[in-house]
Amino acid sequence: MVRVLIADDQDLVRLGLRTLIDSEDGLTVVGEAADGLAAVAQAREHRPDVVLMDVRMPGIDGIEATRRIAADPDLAGTRVVVLTTFEVDAYVFDALRHGASGFLTKDTKPADLVRALHLVAAGEALLSPSVTRRVVREFASRPSRVLKPHPQLDTLTDREREIVGLVGEGLSNEEIAARLVVSPATARTHVSRAMIKLAARDRAQMVVFAYQSGLVD
């Protein structure tokens, strides 16, 4: 059973999400929060598998709430999925940088939301390649961009560094395989080895590492 916490300051949104989630086999809502501080408190109380986190909320926003949850060792098993809209891409990258495992737009279809919750609960990152590319392109082009290379970056082989850069561009394993003219299995192996060396929690964190290390042009 995947246990979900809903954090959104709109009553109607929380009701809709609860109704959808509780109607699905294998999913259950364990708590609701209408602001960021309550989201952190509810996460610590219920230790959900997934938190659906709105960005703009009273108290502390969803980005800060995500950071606090991701930094809490007692919540190592809790994944945060940020609910966002295309016009606030800035928040998406900040959410990934502070520990979110992915993001969903608020117009996501119910079936896609259900699949996403199962995916993230299983430890996968929830990253839409097209949106990831858009987010990374925007931030990689910022003149104020400050590089902060990962301390384990030098342990990567040249091919693994290339792979991390491609993950940072938002490419799937299949797209990476096509780009490098290797098999999908080989691409998956390189991605897995790079994740281990960088101690990346998931693919979302690899995107952040790629951006901060200057591996994304």
Side-chain angles (χ1 to χ4, degrees):
M1 182 67 71
V2 176
R3 305 168 70 252
V4 182
L5 170 66
I6 301 168
D8 195 293
D9 64 343
Q10 296 184 38
D11 294 346
L12 191 58
V13 171
R14 293 200 310 277
L15 175 61
L17 289 171
R18 173 181 280 277
T19 301
L20 169 64
I21 292 168
D22 279 342
S23 69
E24 294 290 332
D25 292 336
L27 298 175
T28 186
V29 175
V30 296
E32 295 182 18
D35 61 71
L37 287 172
V40 176
Q42 290 274 330
R44 288 171 175 162
E45 177 181 354
H46 298 293
R47 300 194 182 185
D49 299 301
V50 183
V51 179
L52 280 176
M53 182 79 74
D54 188 23
V55 172
R56 296 178 175 177
M57 292 188 292
I60 60 173
D61 64 18
I63 307 300
E64 174 61 18
T66 296
R67 186 194 68 77
R68 295 187 188 188
I69 291 171
D72 190 333
D74 291 334
L75 296 176
T78 296
R79 297 287 181 262
V80 177
V81 174
V82 171
L83 294 170
T84 185
T85 54
F86 285 121
E87 61 265 22
V88 288
D89 285 341
Y91 294 116
V92 172
F93 189 84
D94 283 344
L96 296 178
R97 184 164 58 87
H98 286 300
S101 290
F103 50 87
L104 289 170
T105 57
K106 288 192 174 182
D107 59 355
T108 297
K109 295 180 180 179
D112 291 336
L113 172 64
V114 169
R115 282 193 294 269
L117 290 173
H118 285 293
L119 181 70
V120 172
E124 299 294 328
L126 182 64
L127 292 172
S128 164
S130 61
V131 178
T132 301
R133 290 179 193 130
R134 176 177 171 180
V135 171
V136 173
R137 276 200 306 270
E138 176 182 337
F139 285 88
S141 63
R142 282 187 170 184
S144 59
R145 178 186 183 191
V146 177
L147 296 183
K148 185 181 178 182
H150 191 283
Q152 297 302 314
L153 191 64
D154 290 341
T155 67
L156 300 180
T157 65
D158 289 343
R159 176 46 62 92
E160 288 166 351
R161 288 170 67 101
E162 185 177 16
I163 290 285
V164 174
L166 295 176
V167 170
E169 289 181 25
L171 271 63
S172 66
N173 288 342
E174 290 72 19
E175 291 170 325
I176 290 172
R179 176 80 65 89
L180 299 180
V181 195
V182 298
S183 71
T186 297
R188 283 195 298 273
T189 297
H190 284 309
V191 170
S192 296
R193 287 176 179 170
M195 287 183 68
I196 291 171
K197 289 183 179 181
L198 297 177
R201 179 182 56 253
D202 53 32
R203 205 177 184 94
Q205 199 166 38
M206 284 188 71
V207 170
V208 176
F209 291 161
Y211 163 76
Q212 293 180 327
S213 299
L215 298 180
V216 180
D217 295 329

